[in-house]
Amino acid sequence: MSSAPISAAPAAAYHDDKRHWWWLPLFVAISPVLGIVLTARTGQAAWLWITPLLWYVVLPVADGLVGRDSRNPPDAAVPTLESDRYYKFLVYASIPLFYVTWIGAAWAIATQHYDWIGYLGVSLAVALTNGLALVVGHEIGHKTNRFEKRLAQIVLAVPAYGHFSAEHNRGHHKDVATPNDPASSRFGESLYAFVLREIPGAIGRAWHDEKQRLARSGKGAWSPFNELLQSFAITAVLYGGALAVWGAVLLPFLLISTFWGWQFLSTSNYIEHYGLLRQQLPDGRYERCRPEHSWNADHVISNLMLYHLQRHSDHHARPTRCYQALRSDRAPELPSGYPLCFTLAYFPPLWRAVMDQRVLAVYGGDITRVNIQPSKRAQILARYGASKPSAAGG
């Protein structure tokens, strides 16, 4: 498929070719339960690994076979697309499925007496559906109406990441692709160094911003009006209730599914802005965010699974735009969709071998315009031919 964005048919004739495929994330959301049922019926514990196999093997292969699709809906068709309740229904319908999956997996872990391989398979499967729950929280957390913001709190409670909407909307979108953003990865920074910087940085920024928001209305941070605490309270009921019913056997499951689910978000953040930098202006501010400050991936299958999250530059340009209307543009392209890029990022030398030259190409080979890891700055500047450090890139 062509990698250059092209216009679709006129609005009156426009039809979303993907319309009847957007249900696929719902299958992913419930896939760990499918694995548990198939294992019970067949006695084959390999089914418990169906979700990790889907993410790490099936989707990269499908992306390679089906390829990219950078066609866009015409501008005149966007209002109709965004008002079509079918797309919103699919997102809403996924939310109870995440709860069904989490509770069903906790029950299976506690009662089905899996060996450690089966236990790990279920835990990683739920971790990946927790990651998809974060994608859903991302999609609806950007909307402006109170109902959808409440739904975001509810779905983000499953992966215990209730601070995400506050941090992402008020922090990441403001500071993206600058050295000030803990959710924008730097050239030469490994995924593991990024995770250790991003997760605590995101929590700290979310708490600070929420505290300021409440202070403006005369309320304290430790109050029922704190939107972070509201979501974490749901998590406490869900996790605490499961522990009360099934006991300590769930503790490894809680740790693996929660923290590997957080990894899903952190790895997404890592690959979305790696090395890209908004240049600093003479007055100290950073230039406006543009398409070249996000990595895109127009691969059809993984975009269907992730509600077009991979059309990331248009999302930063229009944060409230619904997933079905997000457009491909002239942003730099990842070598594949997120599933394969995740695996590349797990191996830092492999990731850098694939991505570093792509970053340099965005800036015409000028390493001084790149967002560089500060601890490696001198080494990187020397390696890529810069005679002296630049102020840009921190």
Side-chain angles (χ1 to χ4, degrees), residues 283-295:
D283 63 2
R285 295 181 299 171
Y286 287 92
E287 65 179 322
R288 184 177 180 180
C289 186
R290 298 197 304 270
E292 60 264 33
H293 299 130
S294 300
W295 292 100

Side-chain angles (χ1 to χ4, degrees), residues 185-201:
S185 60
R186 300 159 177 170
F187 190 95
E189 182 178 32
S190 74
L191 170 64
Y192 307 103
F194 174 73
V195 167
L196 293 176
R197 178 171 68 88
E198 189 255 355
I199 291 178

